[in-house]
Amino acid sequence: AQSVTQPDIHITVSEGASLELRCNYSYGATPYLFWYVQSPGQGLQLLLKYFSGDTLVQGIKGFEAEFKRSQSSFNLRKPSVHWSDAAEYFCAVTPGFGNEKLTFGTGTRLTIIP
Amino acid sequence: NAGVMQNPRHLVRRRGQEARLRCSPMKGHSHVYWYRQLPEEGLKFMVYLQKENIIDESGMPKERFSAEFPKEGPSILRIQQVVRGDSAAYFCASSPDAGGPAYEQYFGPGTRLTVT
């Protein structure tokens, strides 16, 4: 069965600093990979996704993620965070091929300090 | 194009009552997914439906929970005889089709169920 690990439960970053959120997955083949963001009391918004091809994926709000097959990782990055980036971030995978149910990590809560 | 709609946004039930959560997918979407988010946890898959069919219910508790997506109308997640452990946020997502590089699930705002 596929699984997703987000090893960092909570990260605090200064505004303007760079950010990297870690995500490792376990799956036999290359899954479809996603990063979602959830603001308090809200639903999930897709930041970016990876299916194949270029391993560096650009998303919305200045985020990017890099797929590394050898490390089974799909880390999310942003060069300079803004106070509005404070939220919960979820990495997710799906095997594709007709049943696209998402398996989520437990999330990383991002706090931004002035 | 309106997004995924869920109602109610907040629902309070006493133990033993029934909870009905509704989800209207985006226009043109025929695939619906339900996920549950317990406090301080990630989202867990519950069930995947297409119109009039349950495709995958491997994440649904065996008892008290049921889901449907009729030909007309919203998808319904039904919880009978609710218990305190059912308190959670329930999210619905929809997609236009399964698979492919353009694939994406669009999430609704969720229904927050509180069982007292």
Side-chain angles (χ1 to χ4, degrees):
Chain A
Q2 61 205 37
S3 65
V4 178
T5 302
Q6 292 181 249
D8 304 305
I9 296 173
H10 188 196
I11 285 183
T12 299
V13 177
S14 297
E15 189 169 16
S18 64
L19 171 70
E20 182 170 27
L21 302 182
R22 295 183 290 167
C23 172
N24 293 94
Y25 68 90
S26 173
Y27 185 62
T30 299
Y32 294 173
L33 296 156
F34 304 82
W35 273 100
Y36 284 88
V37 60
Q38 182 182 33
S39 297
Q42 301 298 313
L44 278 71
Q45 182 182 22
L46 181 68
L47 287 175
L48 46 78
K49 58 188 176 183
Y50 172 80
F51 290 101
S52 64
D54 193 348
T55 56
L56 185 62
V57 180
Q58 301 298 320
I60 62 171
K61 303 185 179 186
F63 285 92
E64 66 178 26
E66 185 173 12
F67 169 63
K68 292 185 177 180
R69 186 191 305 274
S70 61
Q71 298 177 20
S72 296
S73 68
F74 188 56
N75 294 348
L76 182 71
R77 301 194 295 247
K78 187 169 184 178
S80 176
V81 298
H82 186 262
W83 64 266
S84 60
D85 293 325
E88 188 95 21
Y89 291 80
F90 293 97
C91 182
V93 304
T94 178
F97 306 112
N99 185 343
E100 318 306 332
K101 64 183 181 184
L102 291 165
T103 298
F104 285 88
T106 51
T108 297
R109 181 172 299 170
L110 176 63
T111 298
I112 308 294
I113 56 176
Chain B
N1 190 3
V4 178
M5 310 278 285
Q6 289 188 251
N7 65 80
R9 294 290 306 274
H10 300 273
L11 182 61
V12 180
R13 285 288 178 265
R14 291 180 178 169
R15 280 179 295 170
Q17 291 184 320
E18 178 180 288
R20 281 187 177 232
L21 288 62
R22 289 177 290 277
C23 169
S24 296
M26 289 180 68
K27 187 176 181 180
H29 288 193
S30 58
H31 300 249
V32 166
Y33 304 80
W34 285 93
Y35 297 85
R36 178 167 64 175
Q37 184 177 32
L38 295 170
E40 306 300 322
E41 293 187 16
L43 280 75
K44 295 283 196 282
F45 167 78
M46 298 182 75
V47 62
Y48 164 34
L49 310 104
Q50 294 179 23
K51 284 286 188 180
E52 300 184 279
N53 286 303
I54 296 175
I55 307 302
D56 183 344
E57 56 181 349
S58 58
M60 287 276 272
K62 298 299 181 196
E63 298 178 349
R64 302 186 297 108
F65 285 72
S66 63
E68 63 177 8
F69 188 17
K71 186 177 181 180
E72 301 291 337
S75 175
I76 306 287
L77 179 67
R78 182 182 177 204
I79 311 172
Q80 296 178 289
Q81 300 177 321
V82 296
V83 300
R84 288 219 173 115
D86 297 333
S87 295
Y90 292 82
F91 291 95
C92 168
S94 72
S95 71
D97 202 352
Y103 181 79
E104 180 179 339
Q105 289 185 24
Y106 296 80
F107 281 80
T111 293
R112 280 149 184 86
L113 172 65
T114 302
V115 179
T116 61

PDB file of all heavy atoms in Angstrom, chain A residues 8-37:
ATOM      1  N   ASP A   8       8.194  16.631   9.322  1.00  0.00           N
ATOM      2  CA  ASP A   8       8.130  17.853  10.118  1.00  0.00           C
ATOM      3  C   ASP A   8       6.691  18.201  10.433  1.00  0.00           C
ATOM      4  O   ASP A   8       5.920  18.521   9.531  1.00  0.00           O
ATOM      5  CB  ASP A   8       8.798  19.012   9.371  1.00  0.00           C
ATOM      6  CG  ASP A   8      10.232  18.687   9.000  1.00  0.00           C
ATOM      7  OD1 ASP A   8      10.995  18.335   9.906  1.00  0.00           O
ATOM      8  OD2 ASP A   8      10.554  18.777   7.799  1.00  0.00           O
ATOM      9  N   ILE A   9       6.338  18.136  11.725  1.00  0.00           N
ATOM     10  CA  ILE A   9       4.964  18.443  12.111  1.00  0.00           C
ATOM     11  C   ILE A   9       4.727  19.947  12.084  1.00  0.00           C
ATOM     12  O   ILE A   9       3.672  20.419  11.672  1.00  0.00           O
ATOM     13  CB  ILE A   9       4.678  17.885  13.521  1.00  0.00           C
ATOM     14  CG1 ILE A   9       4.774  16.357  13.502  1.00  0.00           C
ATOM     15  CG2 ILE A   9       3.308  18.335  14.016  1.00  0.00           C
ATOM     16  CD1 ILE A   9       4.676  15.724  14.865  1.00  0.00           C
ATOM     17  N   HIS A  10       5.742  20.691  12.546  1.00  0.00           N
ATOM     18  CA  HIS A  10       5.586  22.145  12.666  1.00  0.00           C
ATOM     19  C   HIS A  10       6.913  22.804  12.295  1.00  0.00           C
ATOM     20  O   HIS A  10       7.973  22.367  12.772  1.00  0.00           O
ATOM     21  CB  HIS A  10       5.200  22.502  14.105  1.00  0.00           C
ATOM     22  CG  HIS A  10       4.843  23.936  14.290  1.00  0.00           C
ATOM     23  ND1 HIS A  10       4.781  24.523  15.538  1.00  0.00           N
ATOM     24  CD2 HIS A  10       4.536  24.922  13.403  1.00  0.00           C
ATOM     25  CE1 HIS A  10       4.441  25.802  15.411  1.00  0.00           C
ATOM     26  NE2 HIS A  10       4.287  26.061  14.131  1.00  0.00           N
ATOM     27  N   ILE A  11       6.853  23.807  11.445  1.00  0.00           N
ATOM     28  CA  ILE A  11       8.040  24.575  11.056  1.00  0.00           C
ATOM     29  C   ILE A  11       7.756  26.047  11.241  1.00  0.00           C
ATOM     30  O   ILE A  11       6.659  26.523  10.885  1.00  0.00           O
ATOM     31  CB  ILE A  11       8.420  24.273   9.586  1.00  0.00           C
ATOM     32  CG1 ILE A  11       9.082  22.903   9.486  1.00  0.00           C
ATOM     33  CG2 ILE A  11       9.354  25.347   9.045  1.00  0.00           C
ATOM     34  CD1 ILE A  11       9.554  22.550   8.090  1.00  0.00           C
ATOM     35  N   THR A  12       8.746  26.751  11.789  1.00  0.00           N
ATOM     36  CA  THR A  12       8.636  28.206  11.948  1.00  0.00           C
ATOM     37  C   THR A  12       9.723  28.864  11.121  1.00  0.00           C
ATOM     38  O   THR A  12      10.907  28.488  11.226  1.00  0.00           O
ATOM     39  CB  THR A  12       8.787  28.611  13.425  1.00  0.00           C
ATOM     40  OG1 THR A  12       7.740  27.992  14.184  1.00  0.00           O
ATOM     41  CG2 THR A  12       8.679  30.116  13.579  1.00  0.00           C
ATOM     42  N   VAL A  13       9.319  29.833  10.326  1.00  0.00           N
ATOM     43  CA  VAL A  13      10.238  30.507   9.416  1.00  0.00           C
ATOM     44  C   VAL A  13      10.020  32.008   9.514  1.00  0.00           C
ATOM     45  O   VAL A  13       8.863  32.455   9.660  1.00  0.00           O
ATOM     46  CB  VAL A  13       9.998  30.034   7.961  1.00  0.00           C
ATOM     47  CG1 VAL A  13      10.899  30.780   7.001  1.00  0.00           C
ATOM     48  CG2 VAL A  13      10.233  28.547   7.840  1.00  0.00           C
ATOM     49  N   SER A  14      11.090  32.758   9.398  1.00  0.00           N
ATOM     50  CA  SER A  14      10.968  34.218   9.375  1.00  0.00           C
ATOM     51  C   SER A  14      10.479  34.681   8.015  1.00  0.00           C
ATOM     52  O   SER A  14      10.837  34.097   6.975  1.00  0.00           O
ATOM     53  CB  SER A  14      12.322  34.867   9.682  1.00  0.00           C
ATOM     54  OG  SER A  14      12.760  34.533  10.978  1.00  0.00           O
ATOM     55  N   GLU A  15       9.677  35.723   8.025  1.00  0.00           N
ATOM     56  CA  GLU A  15       9.197  36.271   6.761  1.00  0.00           C
ATOM     57  C   GLU A  15      10.387  36.701   5.905  1.00  0.00           C
ATOM     58  O   GLU A  15      11.334  37.334   6.397  1.00  0.00           O
ATOM     59  CB  GLU A  15       8.276  37.463   7.014  1.00  0.00           C
ATOM     60  CG  GLU A  15       7.556  37.948   5.772  1.00  0.00           C
ATOM     61  CD  GLU A  15       6.443  38.941   6.077  1.00  0.00           C
ATOM     62  OE1 GLU A  15       6.426  39.464   7.193  1.00  0.00           O
ATOM     63  OE2 GLU A  15       5.608  39.169   5.189  1.00  0.00           O
ATOM     64  N   GLY A  16      10.332  36.311   4.630  1.00  0.00           N
ATOM     65  CA  GLY A  16      11.427  36.607   3.711  1.00  0.00           C
ATOM     66  C   GLY A  16      12.462  35.505   3.615  1.00  0.00           C
ATOM     67  O   GLY A  16      13.267  35.492   2.674  1.00  0.00           O
ATOM     68  N   ALA A  17      12.452  34.585   4.540  1.00  0.00           N
ATOM     69  CA  ALA A  17      13.400  33.467   4.499  1.00  0.00           C
ATOM     70  C   ALA A  17      12.916  32.406   3.528  1.00  0.00           C
ATOM     71  O   ALA A  17      11.757  32.379   3.116  1.00  0.00           O
ATOM     72  CB  ALA A  17      13.569  32.889   5.895  1.00  0.00           C
ATOM     73  N   SER A  18      13.831  31.503   3.190  1.00  0.00           N
ATOM     74  CA  SER A  18      13.466  30.409   2.291  1.00  0.00           C
ATOM     75  C   SER A  18      12.801  29.288   3.079  1.00  0.00           C
ATOM     76  O   SER A  18      12.926  29.181   4.301  1.00  0.00           O
ATOM     77  CB  SER A  18      14.709  29.888   1.564  1.00  0.00           C
ATOM     78  OG  SER A  18      15.607  29.340   2.501  1.00  0.00           O
ATOM     79  N   LEU A  19      12.110  28.422   2.349  1.00  0.00           N
ATOM     80  CA  LEU A  19      11.333  27.360   2.973  1.00  0.00           C
ATOM     81  C   LEU A  19      11.522  26.064   2.209  1.00  0.00           C
ATOM     82  O   LEU A  19      11.564  26.054   0.967  1.00  0.00           O
ATOM     83  CB  LEU A  19       9.845  27.726   2.950  1.00  0.00           C
ATOM     84  CG  LEU A  19       8.849  26.640   3.362  1.00  0.00           C
ATOM     85  CD1 LEU A  19       8.963  26.372   4.851  1.00  0.00           C
ATOM     86  CD2 LEU A  19       7.437  27.038   2.985  1.00  0.00           C
ATOM     87  N   GLU A  20      11.639  24.959   2.939  1.00  0.00           N
ATOM     88  CA  GLU A  20      11.580  23.642   2.325  1.00  0.00           C
ATOM     89  C   GLU A  20      10.786  22.728   3.238  1.00  0.00           C
ATOM     90  O   GLU A  20      11.122  22.560   4.415  1.00  0.00           O
ATOM     91  CB  GLU A  20      12.965  23.054   2.072  1.00  0.00           C
ATOM     92  CG  GLU A  20      12.887  21.685   1.380  1.00  0.00           C
ATOM     93  CD  GLU A  20      14.239  21.179   0.885  1.00  0.00           C
ATOM     94  OE1 GLU A  20      15.268  21.555   1.453  1.00  0.00           O
ATOM     95  OE2 GLU A  20      14.255  20.406  -0.108  1.00  0.00           O
ATOM     96  N   LEU A  21       9.734  22.137   2.694  1.00  0.00           N
ATOM     97  CA  LEU A  21       8.920  21.169   3.417  1.00  0.00           C
ATOM     98  C   LEU A  21       9.168  19.796   2.809  1.00  0.00           C
ATOM     99  O   LEU A  21       9.072  19.626   1.593  1.00  0.00           O
ATOM    100  CB  LEU A  21       7.432  21.537   3.310  1.00  0.00           C
ATOM    101  CG  LEU A  21       7.032  22.919   3.822  1.00  0.00           C
ATOM    102  CD1 LEU A  21       5.532  23.114   3.700  1.00  0.00           C
ATOM    103  CD2 LEU A  21       7.480  23.119   5.258  1.00  0.00           C
ATOM    104  N   ARG A  22       9.418  18.832   3.676  1.00  0.00           N
ATOM    105  CA  ARG A  22       9.812  17.516   3.202  1.00  0.00           C
ATOM    106  C   ARG A  22       8.615  16.572   3.036  1.00  0.00           C
ATOM    107  O   ARG A  22       7.656  16.624   3.808  1.00  0.00           O
ATOM    108  CB  ARG A  22      10.817  16.897   4.171  1.00  0.00           C
ATOM    109  CG  ARG A  22      12.137  17.655   4.242  1.00  0.00           C
ATOM    110  CD  ARG A  22      13.113  16.954   5.161  1.00  0.00           C
ATOM    111  NE  ARG A  22      12.699  17.051   6.566  1.00  0.00           N
ATOM    112  CZ  ARG A  22      13.236  16.308   7.529  1.00  0.00           C
ATOM    113  NH1 ARG A  22      14.164  15.406   7.249  1.00  0.00           N
ATOM    114  NH2 ARG A  22      12.847  16.467   8.793  1.00  0.00           N
ATOM    115  N   CYS A  23       8.748  15.716   2.031  1.00  0.00           N
ATOM    116  CA  CYS A  23       7.726  14.705   1.766  1.00  0.00           C
ATOM    117  C   CYS A  23       8.412  13.480   1.193  1.00  0.00           C
ATOM    118  O   CYS A  23       9.146  13.582   0.200  1.00  0.00           O
ATOM    119  CB  CYS A  23       6.683  15.224   0.778  1.00  0.00           C
ATOM    120  SG  CYS A  23       5.507  13.967   0.222  1.00  0.00           S
ATOM    121  N   ASN A  24       8.166  12.329   1.799  1.00  0.00           N
ATOM    122  CA  ASN A  24       8.665  11.064   1.272  1.00  0.00           C
ATOM    123  C   ASN A  24       7.483  10.138   1.054  1.00  0.00           C
ATOM    124  O   ASN A  24       6.542  10.118   1.844  1.00  0.00           O
ATOM    125  CB  ASN A  24       9.657  10.417   2.247  1.00  0.00           C
ATOM    126  CG  ASN A  24      10.928  11.222   2.365  1.00  0.00           C
ATOM    127  OD1 ASN A  24      11.063  12.059   3.248  1.00  0.00           O
ATOM    128  ND2 ASN A  24      11.850  11.000   1.453  1.00  0.00           N
ATOM    129  N   TYR A  25       7.543   9.380  -0.010  1.00  0.00           N
ATOM    130  CA  TYR A  25       6.437   8.484  -0.314  1.00  0.00           C
ATOM    131  C   TYR A  25       6.947   7.069  -0.444  1.00  0.00           C
ATOM    132  O   TYR A  25       8.138   6.818  -0.696  1.00  0.00           O
ATOM    133  CB  TYR A  25       5.727   8.925  -1.605  1.00  0.00           C
ATOM    134  CG  TYR A  25       6.581   8.758  -2.839  1.00  0.00           C
ATOM    135  CD1 TYR A  25       6.567   7.576  -3.572  1.00  0.00           C
ATOM    136  CD2 TYR A  25       7.417   9.786  -3.250  1.00  0.00           C
ATOM    137  CE1 TYR A  25       7.364   7.420  -4.677  1.00  0.00           C
ATOM    138  CE2 TYR A  25       8.216   9.630  -4.358  1.00  0.00           C
ATOM    139  CZ  TYR A  25       8.184   8.450  -5.077  1.00  0.00           C
ATOM    140  OH  TYR A  25       8.994   8.291  -6.170  1.00  0.00           O
ATOM    141  N   SER A  26       6.030   6.152  -0.312  1.00  0.00           N
ATOM    142  CA  SER A  26       6.349   4.739  -0.482  1.00  0.00           C
ATOM    143  C   SER A  26       5.348   4.176  -1.474  1.00  0.00           C
ATOM    144  O   SER A  26       4.135   4.172  -1.217  1.00  0.00           O
ATOM    145  CB  SER A  26       6.238   3.992   0.850  1.00  0.00           C
ATOM    146  OG  SER A  26       6.391   2.603   0.655  1.00  0.00           O
ATOM    147  N   TYR A  27       5.875   3.747  -2.615  1.00  0.00           N
ATOM    148  CA  TYR A  27       5.007   3.186  -3.649  1.00  0.00           C
ATOM    149  C   TYR A  27       5.873   2.439  -4.631  1.00  0.00           C
ATOM    150  O   TYR A  27       7.006   2.811  -4.884  1.00  0.00           O
ATOM    151  CB  TYR A  27       4.227   4.298  -4.349  1.00  0.00           C
ATOM    152  CG  TYR A  27       3.215   3.795  -5.338  1.00  0.00           C
ATOM    153  CD1 TYR A  27       2.150   2.997  -4.932  1.00  0.00           C
ATOM    154  CD2 TYR A  27       3.328   4.091  -6.695  1.00  0.00           C
ATOM    155  CE1 TYR A  27       1.231   2.518  -5.840  1.00  0.00           C
ATOM    156  CE2 TYR A  27       2.416   3.616  -7.607  1.00  0.00           C
ATOM    157  CZ  TYR A  27       1.364   2.832  -7.179  1.00  0.00           C
ATOM    158  OH  TYR A  27       0.461   2.356  -8.083  1.00  0.00           O
ATOM    159  N   GLY A  28       5.344   1.369  -5.217  1.00  0.00           N
ATOM    160  CA  GLY A  28       6.130   0.519  -6.099  1.00  0.00           C
ATOM    161  C   GLY A  28       6.560   1.196  -7.384  1.00  0.00           C
ATOM    162  O   GLY A  28       7.651   0.980  -7.879  1.00  0.00           O
ATOM    163  N   ALA A  29       5.708   2.011  -7.937  1.00  0.00           N
ATOM    164  CA  ALA A  29       6.020   2.708  -9.182  1.00  0.00           C
ATOM    165  C   ALA A  29       6.039   4.207  -8.888  1.00  0.00           C
ATOM    166  O   ALA A  29       5.969   4.622  -7.734  1.00  0.00           O
ATOM    167  CB  ALA A  29       4.975   2.377 -10.232  1.00  0.00           C
ATOM    168  N   THR A  30       6.149   4.985  -9.914  1.00  0.00           N
ATOM    169  CA  THR A  30       6.097   6.439  -9.721  1.00  0.00           C
ATOM    170  C   THR A  30       4.644   6.867  -9.634  1.00  0.00           C
ATOM    171  O   THR A  30       3.895   6.720 -10.595  1.00  0.00           O
ATOM    172  CB  THR A  30       6.780   7.178 -10.883  1.00  0.00           C
ATOM    173  OG1 THR A  30       8.143   6.776 -10.938  1.00  0.00           O
ATOM    174  CG2 THR A  30       6.707   8.684 -10.656  1.00  0.00           C
ATOM    175  N   PRO A  31       4.259   7.381  -8.487  1.00  0.00           N
ATOM    176  CA  PRO A  31       2.859   7.793  -8.352  1.00  0.00           C
ATOM    177  C   PRO A  31       2.660   9.203  -8.887  1.00  0.00           C
ATOM    178  O   PRO A  31       3.599   9.868  -9.294  1.00  0.00           O
ATOM    179  CB  PRO A  31       2.657   7.763  -6.841  1.00  0.00           C
ATOM    180  CG  PRO A  31       3.996   8.162  -6.298  1.00  0.00           C
ATOM    181  CD  PRO A  31       5.022   7.603  -7.253  1.00  0.00           C
ATOM    182  N   TYR A  32       1.431   9.628  -8.887  1.00  0.00           N
ATOM    183  CA  TYR A  32       1.137  11.037  -9.099  1.00  0.00           C
ATOM    184  C   TYR A  32       1.300  11.729  -7.744  1.00  0.00           C
ATOM    185  O   TYR A  32       0.833  11.222  -6.728  1.00  0.00           O
ATOM    186  CB  TYR A  32      -0.285  11.234  -9.605  1.00  0.00           C
ATOM    187  CG  TYR A  32      -0.569  10.666 -10.979  1.00  0.00           C
ATOM    188  CD1 TYR A  32      -1.859  10.648 -11.477  1.00  0.00           C
ATOM    189  CD2 TYR A  32       0.437  10.147 -11.775  1.00  0.00           C
ATOM    190  CE1 TYR A  32      -2.146  10.134 -12.741  1.00  0.00           C
ATOM    191  CE2 TYR A  32       0.164   9.630 -13.035  1.00  0.00           C
ATOM    192  CZ  TYR A  32      -1.129   9.626 -13.510  1.00  0.00           C
ATOM    193  OH  TYR A  32      -1.412   9.117 -14.750  1.00  0.00           O
ATOM    194  N   LEU A  33       1.946  12.871  -7.717  1.00  0.00           N
ATOM    195  CA  LEU A  33       2.286  13.548  -6.466  1.00  0.00           C
ATOM    196  C   LEU A  33       1.693  14.949  -6.443  1.00  0.00           C
ATOM    197  O   LEU A  33       1.687  15.642  -7.471  1.00  0.00           O
ATOM    198  CB  LEU A  33       3.812  13.636  -6.328  1.00  0.00           C
ATOM    199  CG  LEU A  33       4.521  12.293  -6.202  1.00  0.00           C
ATOM    200  CD1 LEU A  33       5.965  12.389  -6.659  1.00  0.00           C
ATOM    201  CD2 LEU A  33       4.461  11.808  -4.752  1.00  0.00           C
ATOM    202  N   PHE A  34       1.233  15.346  -5.266  1.00  0.00           N
ATOM    203  CA  PHE A  34       0.548  16.622  -5.119  1.00  0.00           C
ATOM    204  C   PHE A  34       0.989  17.299  -3.826  1.00  0.00           C
ATOM    205  O   PHE A  34       1.320  16.634  -2.839  1.00  0.00           O
ATOM    206  CB  PHE A  34      -0.974  16.430  -5.040  1.00  0.00           C
ATOM    207  CG  PHE A  34      -1.576  15.682  -6.194  1.00  0.00           C
ATOM    208  CD1 PHE A  34      -1.550  14.301  -6.238  1.00  0.00           C
ATOM    209  CD2 PHE A  34      -2.197  16.369  -7.217  1.00  0.00           C
ATOM    210  CE1 PHE A  34      -2.122  13.603  -7.289  1.00  0.00           C
ATOM    211  CE2 PHE A  34      -2.774  15.684  -8.283  1.00  0.00           C
ATOM    212  CZ  PHE A  34      -2.737  14.300  -8.310  1.00  0.00           C
ATOM    213  N   TRP A  35       0.933  18.617  -3.846  1.00  0.00           N
ATOM    214  CA  TRP A  35       1.019  19.410  -2.622  1.00  0.00           C
ATOM    215  C   TRP A  35      -0.236  20.287  -2.541  1.00  0.00           C
ATOM    216  O   TRP A  35      -0.577  20.983  -3.500  1.00  0.00           O
ATOM    217  CB  TRP A  35       2.255  20.315  -2.613  1.00  0.00           C
ATOM    218  CG  TRP A  35       3.494  19.663  -2.091  1.00  0.00           C
ATOM    219  CD1 TRP A  35       4.528  19.139  -2.813  1.00  0.00           C
ATOM    220  CD2 TRP A  35       3.850  19.485  -0.710  1.00  0.00           C
ATOM    221  NE1 TRP A  35       5.498  18.645  -1.970  1.00  0.00           N
ATOM    222  CE2 TRP A  35       5.105  18.842  -0.678  1.00  0.00           C
ATOM    223  CE3 TRP A  35       3.241  19.807   0.509  1.00  0.00           C
ATOM    224  CZ2 TRP A  35       5.770  18.513   0.508  1.00  0.00           C
ATOM    225  CZ3 TRP A  35       3.883  19.488   1.681  1.00  0.00           C
ATOM    226  CH2 TRP A  35       5.139  18.851   1.678  1.00  0.00           C
ATOM    227  N   TYR A  36      -0.883  20.205  -1.358  1.00  0.00           N
ATOM    228  CA  TYR A  36      -2.054  21.024  -1.082  1.00  0.00           C
ATOM    229  C   TYR A  36      -1.761  21.926   0.107  1.00  0.00           C
ATOM    230  O   TYR A  36      -0.975  21.588   0.997  1.00  0.00           O
ATOM    231  CB  TYR A  36      -3.265  20.153  -0.730  1.00  0.00           C
ATOM    232  CG  TYR A  36      -3.925  19.466  -1.898  1.00  0.00           C
ATOM    233  CD1 TYR A  36      -3.494  18.220  -2.334  1.00  0.00           C
ATOM    234  CD2 TYR A  36      -5.003  20.055  -2.553  1.00  0.00           C
ATOM    235  CE1 TYR A  36      -4.107  17.577  -3.405  1.00  0.00           C
ATOM    236  CE2 TYR A  36      -5.631  19.417  -3.620  1.00  0.00           C
ATOM    237  CZ  TYR A  36      -5.180  18.184  -4.033  1.00  0.00           C
ATOM    238  OH  TYR A  36      -5.802  17.556  -5.088  1.00  0.00           O
ATOM    239  N   VAL A  37      -2.469  23.067   0.153  1.00  0.00           N
ATOM    240  CA  VAL A  37      -2.376  23.970   1.282  1.00  0.00           C
ATOM    241  C   VAL A  37      -3.776  24.154   1.873  1.00  0.00           C
ATOM    242  O   VAL A  37      -4.772  24.209   1.136  1.00  0.00           O
ATOM    243  CB  VAL A  37      -1.769  25.330   0.878  1.00  0.00           C
ATOM    244  CG1 VAL A  37      -2.599  26.039  -0.181  1.00  0.00           C
ATOM    245  CG2 VAL A  37      -1.578  26.222   2.102  1.00  0.00           C
TER     246      VAL A  37
END
